[in-house]
Amino acid sequence: MTAVDRAFLEAVLLGTVGGLISVQILLRRLPFFTLAMTHATFPGVVLAAIAGADLYAGGGLFGVLVVLGVLALSRRPEQGTTTAIGIVLSAGFALGVVLLSARDGFSKDLTAYTVGQILTVGPGDLTAVAVVGVIVLALLSVAGRQLTFRAFDPGGYAAAGYRPTVIDMALLLTVEAVIIVAVPAVGAILAVAVLVAPAAIARLWTHNVTAMTAIAVAAGIGSGLAGVLISTRYDVATGGTITVVTGTLFALSLAATTTWTAITGSRRGRRQAADRPASAVTGPSHLEEVG
Amino acid sequence: MSALTERALAELLLTGGICGVLGVQVVLRRLAFFTETLGHVTFLGVVTAAVTGTDITIGAGIAAMGAVAVMGRGGVASRPHHQRSGVMISGALALGVVLISTRPGFGKDLSAALVGSPLTAGTGDITVAAITAVLVTGTLTLAHKELVLAAFDPAVTRALGYPTRLIDGGLLALLAVTVVTAVPAVGATLPLALLVGPAASALLWTRRIIPATLIGGLLGAAAGAAGLALSLHYRVATAAGTAVICGALFIVAATTTLAGRARQTRLHRPATGL
Amino acid sequence: METTPEPQVPPPALDLDEVTVAYGPALALENIDGMVAPGEAVALIGPNGAGKSTLIKAILGLVPLAGGRISVLGRSPAAARRDVAYVPQADTLDPEFPISVGQVVLMGRYRRIGWLRRAKAADKEAARRALEQVGLADRARHRFGTLSGGQRQRVLLARAIAAEPRLLLLDEPFNGVDAVSEQALLDAIALLKQDGAAVVVSTHDLALAHLACEEVCLLNRRQYGFGPTQATLTPDRLRATYGGHALELRGDRVIVAHS
């Protein structure tokens, strides 16, 4: 197996795993939280590299601490979760940079950890992605319905007798696991593209969770393969290229679906105005908060 | 102190101060995610300018204003469009990385653009920072009550006939100018720490906006100076050191106020009979 | 404007003439007619999504009309804004916002104070009096978010009072409000009416409509009645307004058997 073969395989595996978990991240409105987790995992990976420990173990341990830290900081209701997440994100990344900058070869290491090097992944990395893939599949098959319930109606979920903390922790730890296996390939700051963008693309095309998952996986795999192909052909950074392909897919989907709604929307809208009961008529407004 | 260090100190004091002051508005309106997106888009602007050989401030400025125009429409400022921002946030950064990777010396350029290089700040950078400082403090002083009103109650602000789009857009533009000022010094990801860390800490210590703004500014400037000292003594990346200090500040603020509150509740419990 | 002589009869506080509002191709309000005189109150009654909030926004000039005309104090809504105050629902505001009750009330004076200027002693005095009228004078220094829901609603009414409006618009002010606050709100509204202000209040509560308002407007996209409270709130009209949903009248309360 050549390095390029391994890169393609890694792209397919990562696209699948990322696509699967991204739907859950989007449903729970966690993209920003995920971004913070990717950035804050970065110092863990650096620490592990400096200490000569296993990157996955070091990153993983640190990632778990980050999850707990964000949850603790966001208990201060004054400022909401956004602020706490923002601080963890930015300061966590900075900590990684500080740690790295204390060593020689700063720029080269920083590049590797922040934007990844999919062309250097080894069999160990591939196995790690595959293992995490099995974990994600297990979570979705065991608790897929509960995850959707919790995302849709947090109050109702607790009222139904479930323990929200358990499922939240399970989801966040799984997300963290995906982040850690994504870092070698696409880097700490680009990992969020693998974990958020596929579902964001799928969401534009469908409202159905199952269909969304399928589209997200396809988008993840597709942009991974295209990214590796383009980057080896033109000799540009692979992690960056994968992300740019994903972003382009999103932009195209947005343009296509917006046009489609604009074309069909006026027709459908006229029909609805006649059919729908008046109480259902609510429109876009700048005073939405008023009720 | 060498001229180099002096300039770096001036740049970090100014940037830290501006960010601490404007950060209070960012925290009040929960704009952290928006700010991060702005940082990444500005990074793309910086890289594009460097690759095409145009002025970096102009490139960054155009990119940041573009981001405000795209994301600031329709009240996005108060409720971020997470999906769109999420894609934009990584897409802009990735495009920047791809652009840089087309050039030789990839790693070094990328590091500089990602984490900034305050030690290379020139007189021009300091002038830009000083102008931004005047702009930010001036606007916040003159439009204080309107900004607070629009942040607290957007519906009534509109009902009162205020040009809310102008107020919101103005604030976002001010944020864009600040990020553009900060990115060359502290890089793409770190302005967020400077904007949110000191301000959020200040808002934990005082629940009044004007004192929080003053404290935020002082803390931001102090974090900048401390970051520089840290980098001179321990030879670590300056801007990153500053950002770590901002994060540590918030953790300290959160713990001390939490402890204070726990004590208060204990003291009050018998009195109120709760 | 300055050259027009003061008319003998003051213009109505609010004059709705065939008001139609559309969101895209869908009609949110169709041909609403009615008039409110200074010192009078009208209750907007109808189910959720009937267009009550939309009508309030239209009176504020915040949504464009697809047809008809609204005149506020003889002027266009946009031109009359200075004399109109709007009270949103308290629970739409961020309870964690670092702002004191006194500051919130002072916001009612911001349009009078103008851009770039600070509040004068007269403004602070007006804010203090307004807070007194809703019975919360002793809470001026408390943080807004520390008050109960009903008290927050009273603070928002005080803010409107501080603006010295000639037309007051309230959006569901009695939702989730305790009895003490409800009484305080009713008293403050009565006082405003005595001073000649007109009041428009959207509500689900027919009893409160009876207590506070001389007139009601029954609304569910179309208008199902506009007139004196007693004569207009008939079971037939209510049933028509609420779209034939199971509805029961017990005393003067209405119970609507759908969410």
Side-chain angles (χ1 to χ4, degrees):
Chain A
M1 219 192 226
T2 66
V4 177
D5 289 338
R6 278 199 299 272
F8 276 118
L9 187 54
E10 172 89 357
V12 169
L13 285 173
L14 211 52
T16 313
V17 178
L20 287 173
I21 199 77
S22 70
V23 174
Q24 299 302 326
I25 292 174
L26 198 72
L27 288 179
R28 287 293 297 280
R29 295 167 201 273
L30 289 175
F32 193 38
F33 191 88
T34 310
L35 184 72
M37 283 165 71
T38 57
H39 280 62
T41 304
F42 173 54
V45 176
V46 174
L47 268 179
I50 290 176
D54 182 52
L55 288 193
Y56 292 126
L61 189 65
F62 208 81
V64 172
L65 288 176
V66 167
V67 169
L68 296 174
V70 172
L71 289 177
L73 281 181
S74 55
R75 293 188 85 105
R76 305 299 310 270
E78 294 93 322
Q79 291 160 350
T81 334
T82 329
T83 304
I85 295 175
I87 289 170
V88 167
L89 187 168
S90 196
F93 178 69
L95 184 61
V97 175
V98 166
L99 289 172
L100 262 186
S101 68
R103 300 212 308 172
D104 294 332
F106 169 46
S107 300
K108 198 164 147 284
D109 291 344
L110 182 64
T111 311
Y113 294 129
T114 49
V115 301
Q117 286 173 327
I118 200 171
L119 288 169
T120 64
V121 295
D125 297 313
L126 291 173
T127 318
V129 184
V131 169
V132 170
V134 171
I135 296 176
V136 170
L137 281 175
L139 177 75
L140 291 185
S141 49
V142 171
R145 261 180 310 118
Q146 281 80 357
L147 282 168
T148 312
F149 186 4
R150 167 91 176 105
F152 171 68
D153 182 4
Y157 185 79
Y162 289 112
R163 303 241 314 267
T165 347
V166 175
I167 195 124
D168 286 1
M169 281 310 278
L171 177 63
L172 290 179
L173 291 175
T174 311
V175 169
E176 182 59 42
V178 178
I179 290 174
I180 292 162
V181 295
V183 166
V186 293
I189 54 177
L190 295 181
V192 70
V194 173
L195 282 131
V196 172
I201 294 169
R203 180 72 184 77
L204 292 169
W205 294 104
T206 176
H207 297 282
N208 177 304
V209 176
T210 317
M212 226 170 109
T213 312
I215 298 176
V217 168
I221 295 175
S223 45
L225 290 177
V228 176
L229 206 63
I230 295 171
S231 79
T232 45
R233 168 88 47 98
Y234 298 100
D235 193 26
V236 288
T238 316
T241 312
I242 294 176
T243 314
V244 171
V245 172
T246 322
T248 313
L249 264 182
F250 179 79
L252 291 177
S253 302
L254 187 65
T257 49
T258 312
T259 320
W260 177 247
T261 330
I263 295 167
T264 58
S266 54
R267 229 181 312 148
R268 194 186 312 154
R270 221 168 290 137
R271 201 172 58 236
Q272 276 170 354
D275 292 350
R276 263 196 307 183
S279 58
V281 177
T282 46
S285 74
H286 301 287
L287 259 173
E288 252 170 11
E289 298 87 345
V290 175
Chain B
M1 205 188 266
S2 72
L4 196 79
T5 335
E6 267 172 30
R7 278 203 298 273
L9 181 63
E11 174 81 8
L12 284 167
L13 282 177
L14 278 172
T15 315
I18 302 165
C19 288
V21 165
L22 190 61
V24 172
Q25 302 289 330
V26 173
V27 175
L28 287 181
R29 288 179 177 242
R30 307 187 175 185
L31 288 176
F33 199 22
F34 181 82
T35 308
E36 180 65 8
T37 315
L38 208 52
H40 284 202
V41 175
T42 308
F43 165 81
L44 176 59
V46 169
V47 170
T48 315
V51 170
T52 58
T54 26
D55 184 79
I56 284 185
T57 313
I58 294 175
I62 292 174
M65 288 305 170
V68 168
V70 171
M71 304 207 315
R73 270 182 317 160
V76 174
S78 52
R79 264 168 302 164
H81 278 181
H82 276 220
Q83 309 173 24
R84 212 167 292 182
S85 302
V87 174
M88 204 158 168
I89 223 166
S90 50
L93 195 70
L95 199 56
V97 171
V98 171
L99 274 178
I100 293 193
S101 72
T102 59
R103 302 212 307 170
F106 164 43
K108 202 156 154 289
D109 289 345
L110 178 65
S111 317
L114 268 184
V115 302
S117 48
L119 289 173
T120 60
T123 333
D125 296 322
I126 296 171
T127 316
V128 170
I131 295 171
T132 309
V134 172
L135 206 62
V136 167
T137 44
T139 313
L140 290 189
T141 314
L142 293 176
H144 174 257
K145 62 182 191 308
E146 285 77 14
L147 282 170
V148 173
L149 172 65
F152 174 66
D153 191 345
V156 158
T157 314
R158 269 183 71 79
L160 283 170
Y162 278 105
T164 41
R165 274 200 199 160
L166 187 73
I167 298 176
D168 294 349
L171 180 66
L172 294 186
L174 210 57
L175 190 57
V177 170
T178 305
V179 170
V180 167
T181 310
V183 162
V186 298
T189 299
L190 306 181
L192 181 61
L194 279 168
L195 274 160
V196 176
S201 310
L203 277 168
L204 284 176
W205 280 318
T206 169
R207 299 299 290 159
R208 285 157 57 214
I209 293 170
I210 294 173
T213 308
L214 296 175
I215 297 174
L218 287 175
L219 287 179
L228 183 63
L230 204 65
S231 98
L232 291 177
H233 279 102
Y234 299 99
R235 310 204 154 272
V236 293
T238 317
T242 307
V244 170
I245 290 169
C246 289
L249 211 58
F250 181 71
I251 292 173
V252 171
T255 2
T256 51
T257 48
L258 208 62
R261 174 161 315 173
R263 205 167 47 239
Q264 246 176 16
T265 358
R266 267 204 305 281
L267 284 177
H268 279 290
R269 209 169 285 153
T272 51
L274 284 173
Chain C
M1 278 301 241
E2 287 89 343
T3 51
T4 10
E6 193 68 23
Q8 292 296 316
V9 188
L14 177 64
D15 190 356
L16 306 173
D17 181 17
E18 307 262 298
V19 173
T20 301
V21 178
Y23 285 129
L27 288 182
L29 285 173
E30 218 179 327
N31 294 331
I32 310 299
D33 270 305
M35 201 184 276
V36 187
E40 269 185 5
V42 60
L44 302 179
I45 289 179
N48 287 331
K52 300 188 299 271
S53 291
T54 303
L55 184 56
I56 288 181
K57 280 178 227 166
I59 297 169
L60 286 164
L62 296 180
V63 292
L65 299 189
R69 212 174 55 86
I70 295 180
S71 103
V72 177
L73 304 157
R75 286 167 276 166
S76 76
R81 255 180 209 156
R82 290 247 170 155
D83 293 311
V84 180
Y86 164 66
V87 180
Q89 290 182 50
D91 59 12
T92 59
L93 299 176
D94 176 7
E96 296 301 337
F97 204 93
I99 194 163
S100 73
V101 166
Q103 282 171 307
V104 173
V105 179
L106 196 59
M107 283 175 172
R109 306 289 297 181
Y110 279 8
R111 280 264 82 162
R112 279 165 202 275
I113 299 168
W115 288 87
L116 311 184
R117 291 203 196 85
R118 291 166 56 88
K120 288 193 272 296
D123 297 310
K124 289 179 182 159
E125 174 58 22
R128 197 193 55 75
R129 272 202 316 270
L131 202 51
E132 222 164 60
Q133 274 190 40
V134 299
L136 290 173
D138 56 327
R139 300 299 178 95
R141 301 189 72 83
H142 289 227
R143 190 160 61 79
F144 180 70
T146 59
L147 303 192
S148 74
Q151 290 171 330
R152 279 183 224 167
Q153 196 66 60
R154 280 149 77 186
V155 172
L156 296 183
L157 179 60
R159 175 173 71 176
I161 293 172
E164 296 170 21
R166 290 170 64 196
L167 173 63
L168 179 69
L169 308 171
L170 301 107
D171 198 356
E172 305 277 1
F174 304 111
N175 273 6
V177 161
D178 56 284
V180 178
S181 288
E182 191 176 286
Q183 193 54 49
L185 286 170
L186 287 171
D187 291 347
I189 292 172
L191 211 59
L192 271 172
K193 281 160 64 183
Q194 265 174 34
D195 291 344
V199 176
V200 175
V201 47
S202 77
T203 182
H204 287 297
D205 197 324
L206 298 191
L208 284 165
H210 276 291
L211 275 175
C213 301
E214 291 79 17
E215 304 206 44
V216 294
C217 171
L218 288 170
L219 207 63
N220 190 356
R221 201 165 63 119
R222 292 194 298 111
Q223 181 172 315
Y224 288 85
F226 193 121
T229 308
Q230 278 298 350
T232 312
L233 283 185
T234 61
D236 283 349
R237 280 220 177 90
L238 283 168
R239 211 163 283 130
T241 311
Y242 281 82
H245 288 282
L247 177 118
E248 210 180 300
L249 288 176
R250 199 181 288 158
D252 44 11
R253 291 237 169 212
V254 64
I255 294 145
V256 184
H258 73 116
S259 59

